[in-house]
Amino acid sequence: MGFHEGASELSGGFLGVDIFFVLSGFLITDLLVTRYDTFGRLDLRDFWTRRARRLLPALAVMLVVVTAAASVIEPDQEASLRPALLAAVTYTSNWYQILHHVSYFDAFRQLTAPAPLDHLWSLAIEEQFYLLWPLLLWFLLFRLNGRRSRVTVILLAAAASALIMALQYTPGGDPSAVYYGTDTHASALLIGAALALAYPLASLGSLSPAQTKRLDAAGGAGLAVLAWAIGHFSGNDPAVYPVGLILAALAAAGLVAAAAGNGVIAVITSLPPLRWVGVRSYGMYLWHWPVIALAAALAGSGPTSAWVWVIETGVTIALAAASWRFIETPILRNGLHATIRHWRQRLSEVRTRSAWRRPGSVPVAVAAVTVLTVVVAVVGVVRPAESATPAGLLRQVAEGQRISSASQSARAPAATASAACRRGKPPEVSGDRVTAVGDSIMVASATALAAALPGIYISAQVGRQMQSGLTVIQGLAAARTLRRIVIISLGTNGDVTARQLRQLRQLIGPNRDLVLVNTFGPMPWEHEVNAALAAAAGQGGHTELANWNHAIAADPALLWPDGIHPRPSGAKLYARVILAAVRAALSRAQPSSCPRPKAH
């Protein structure tokens, strides 16, 4: 939840999914194996029925409520919400998001508010695991005798999944495809399954004191590793795929085993507040992302404060508690049909006036709100919707992407000496000497940039971060197509570190001028990014700062309503700021860059 709230201290908070995968793999496998050992068979129908009863009702209520809320708050997202709903009810959200190139790590950095159902990719992997794993486990138990051989096979399968991830992952690219894949992200589930076969739940609770101490040591080490990883890794860190994920899964396995024992870790995780949260954790998982996404749509592009995070967390916990009290608990205890009959009977009681005086009766308002919510959700799904992003910005981005692609395919003319070398004249800049790499700000400004610097090479992409930009620069340098002046406009979508800037300087070499464009917007990392860029420019070494932040802060009306992307008039200002910085860089380099007159 902290990661999805944008807490910079929890850049690796996405690893919480892998912790849960390990826990789920452990508990489900232990449940299945225990029943197999007791009855000599796996009752798959009973298992799948119990899973459906536990997961489906709460999910269905969340989908109806969120669809209705999105129809009112974000009617422009309805077109994309329909296929997302279909993917959610069929538990194929992860494959849907791979097919539609939905970026998990850039979800809150795009031109629009994040989609409220994008978090269901992990539940889809869980459900696919629940469907397939009992069949595979039955075959494993039937064909292999002995705990060691079974554990070995499962660990080999986990290693195979990690290998597939490593082979499919492209450093510097968007890792979402390998992160969403059931085949590439199955390692944590299988590590949990192997743990259940190696150390069944019943055995962990009856260990000797010496064994319990060793288990606590493993749990403490796992907790320390997870704390370090959550604060150290980021979603675009190449080390995560798969090394970081495997490390987190192994650490989680140690923590889960210790929590299942009877030592110190077990006592801590059994504290009433933690148990209360744990019991309602499924509801918190279901509701937290829609709450954050819809709140972002309501708040617009303004800066997010800690109070907003507190309110969103409180709303999430309240919804999860209500889900547990009124939906999950009754259905788990009495079954779906009995619960529906009970609520139907309670609703019929409100027809009499005496029902208002009976304790515990359901008010008419609840029934009315329920019906209204369903109606709004249905209307929201069936009616046509328009795009949430201003049409002008979409057209501007599309044109910028076309200009960017055209600039890369056009052959640059041979660079010639310009009038910039004449004493007393401001240096003139030829675009054929300039390479520009940027994110969506540069995409939106590509038309103005190409007009200011004819012949410029533009590589700009929505959602791009500095690490991806370094990969682009490295490729251009290796192909010997990196030009004399390099413009970098990255920082809208994530942190920029001093280490990355040093790496950038090394990649472009000492004989090129570097122009760093700082950033502007309601991103929590804006100040840190701009400070890092200013520090790099202050060190000299053929590095100049294009102060876009200062220029646009003086006239924010030149931005679209998101407060980040420039309108066409703002794009012209963006191009002028960059052109001025390029000229300043050339002025400093003029004595060495001007050709000497030939001797006669």
Side-chain angles (χ1 to χ4, degrees):
M1 289 175 64
F3 172 72
H4 290 159
E5 290 281 10
S8 58
E9 299 83 3
L10 300 174
S11 61
F14 59 91
L15 295 173
V17 170
D18 292 86
I19 298 173
F20 186 76
F21 278 178
V22 171
L23 178 61
S24 183
F26 173 76
L27 292 175
I28 292 302
T29 304
D30 184 81
L31 172 67
L32 290 168
V33 172
T34 299
R35 288 179 175 253
Y36 181 84
D37 291 341
T38 303
F39 302 106
R41 63 186 182 90
L42 293 178
D43 190 343
L44 298 183
R45 180 179 179 180
D46 178 71
F47 171 78
W48 287 326
T49 300
R50 288 175 178 271
R51 289 294 88 202
R53 181 183 294 179
R54 176 68 183 92
L55 301 177
L56 290 180
L59 174 66
V61 171
M62 185 275 290
L63 291 177
V64 171
V65 173
V66 169
T67 301
S71 299
V72 175
I73 298 172
E74 288 188 287
D76 298 321
Q77 279 212 26
E78 288 167 358
S80 60
L81 191 61
R82 285 191 285 269
L85 273 171
L86 179 61
V89 298
T90 57
Y91 288 110
T92 56
S93 294
N94 61 325
W95 299 113
Y96 165 79
Q97 288 167 229
I98 290 175
L99 182 64
H100 289 80
H101 306 287
V102 177
S103 176
Y104 175 69
F105 298 103
D106 293 337
F108 288 84
R109 300 167 181 166
Q110 301 296 329
L111 304 179
T112 61
L117 301 180
D118 279 357
H119 67 311
L120 296 180
W121 69 269
S122 56
L123 183 61
I125 292 180
E126 284 278 343
E127 283 297 319
Q128 292 160 31
F129 175 75
Y130 295 154
L131 179 63
L132 297 176
W133 179 241
L135 300 173
L136 297 174
L137 182 62
W138 173 83
F139 180 79
L140 190 66
L141 295 174
F142 180 75
R143 297 293 297 178
L144 294 178
N145 293 320
R147 179 183 302 175
R148 179 174 298 181
S149 58
R150 295 168 180 172
V151 171
T152 300
V153 169
I154 295 176
L155 290 178
L156 287 175
S161 175
L163 179 61
I164 295 172
M165 173 178 281
L167 293 175
Q168 293 187 9
Y169 172 66
T170 301
D174 186 357
S176 297
V178 296
Y179 191 69
Y180 288 140
T182 307
D183 54 340
T184 53
H185 207 151
S187 296
L189 287 162
L190 293 171
I191 287 174
L195 176 65
L197 284 172
Y199 300 99
L201 185 61
S203 67
L204 290 173
S206 58
L207 296 176
S208 67
Q211 292 172 321
T212 299
K213 287 183 179 180
R214 289 196 291 270
L215 199 61
D216 268 341
L223 185 60
V225 170
L226 288 170
W228 171 83
I230 288 172
H232 174 78
F233 286 124
S234 69
N236 291 287
D237 190 338
V240 171
Y241 310 99
V243 176
L245 295 177
I246 293 296
L247 181 65
L250 293 174
L255 182 58
V256 167
N262 52 15
V264 175
I265 298 292
V267 171
I268 293 174
T269 54
S270 297
L271 293 174
L274 295 184
R275 290 180 61 85
W276 191 93
V277 170
V279 166
R280 294 155 184 83
S281 60
Y282 176 57
M284 293 180 190
Y285 159 80
L286 287 179
W287 287 102
H288 83 282
W289 181 286
V291 167
I292 295 171
L294 294 174
L298 284 172
S301 60
T304 302
S305 69
W307 284 110
V308 174
W309 301 347
V310 171
I311 293 171
E312 290 171 351
T313 302
V315 171
T316 296
I317 293 174
L319 289 170
S323 174
W324 175 253
R325 169 67 178 83
F326 297 108
I327 301 169
E328 298 167 64
T329 298
I331 292 175
L332 286 173
R333 183 175 58 235
N334 304 318
L336 178 62
H337 296 297
T339 302
I340 292 176
R341 285 196 303 270
H342 170 75
W343 283 110
R344 186 181 300 167
Q345 179 182 355
R346 298 289 295 274
L347 287 172
S348 66
E349 292 178 359
V350 304
R351 297 175 182 175
T352 62
R353 291 185 178 182
S354 59
W356 290 98
R357 295 188 293 270
R358 295 177 186 174
S361 295
V362 179
V364 177
V366 174
V369 169
T370 302
V371 172
L372 180 62
T373 301
V374 174
V375 170
V376 172
V378 172
V379 171
V381 170
V382 300
R383 73 181 177 187
E386 299 178 357
S387 171
T389 306
L393 177 54
L394 291 177
R395 289 193 297 268
Q396 190 176 330
V397 168
E399 178 64 13
Q401 291 171 332
R402 187 189 68 81
I403 293 293
S404 178
S405 298
S407 74
Q408 297 174 33
S409 59
R411 185 174 180 180
T416 58
S418 73
C421 295
R422 291 181 297 194
R423 188 180 301 277
K425 296 286 186 179
E428 296 299 325
V429 185
S430 176
D432 57 85
R433 303 175 66 196
V434 180
T435 295
V437 176
D439 50 31
S440 57
I441 309 303
M442 185 176 285
V443 173
S445 306
T447 302
L449 199 57
L453 293 165
I456 185 175
Y457 180 101
I458 302 175
S459 173
Q461 180 179 314
V462 174
R464 178 177 283 166
Q465 297 186 0
M466 178 58 79
Q467 192 62 44
S468 299
L470 292 176
T471 302
V472 173
I473 293 295
Q474 186 177 26
L476 293 174
R480 299 184 181 275
T481 56
L482 190 63
R483 300 181 181 180
R484 169 71 175 74
I485 303 164
V486 179
I487 301 169
I488 298 293
S489 180
L490 298 166
T492 306
N493 303 301
D495 295 338
V496 175
T497 66
R499 177 176 172 272
Q500 289 174 325
L501 292 172
R502 288 193 298 270
Q503 185 180 356
L504 172 63
R505 184 71 258 184
Q506 292 172 355
L507 287 173
I508 69 172
N511 297 322
R512 291 186 177 91
D513 288 305
L514 174 63
V515 174
L516 299 172
V517 186
N518 61 13
T519 190
F520 179 88
M523 303 83 66
W525 53 83
E526 179 206 53
H527 176 74
E528 289 78 6
V529 167
N530 289 344
L533 295 175
Q539 295 174 0
H542 297 278
T543 304
E544 190 73 26
L545 180 68
N547 201 339
W548 164 243
N549 181 281
H550 177 77
I552 195 60
D555 194 359
L558 297 178
L559 297 173
W560 287 101
D562 65 0
I564 299 176
H565 296 88
R567 297 175 183 269
S569 53
K572 293 179 181 178
L573 175 61
Y574 176 88
R576 290 198 299 271
V577 169
I578 289 179
L579 182 59
V582 171
R583 283 175 172 167
L586 288 179
S587 295
R588 293 195 302 181
Q590 185 170 330
S592 60
S593 63
C594 293
R596 295 181 180 180
K598 295 181 180 180
H600 295 284

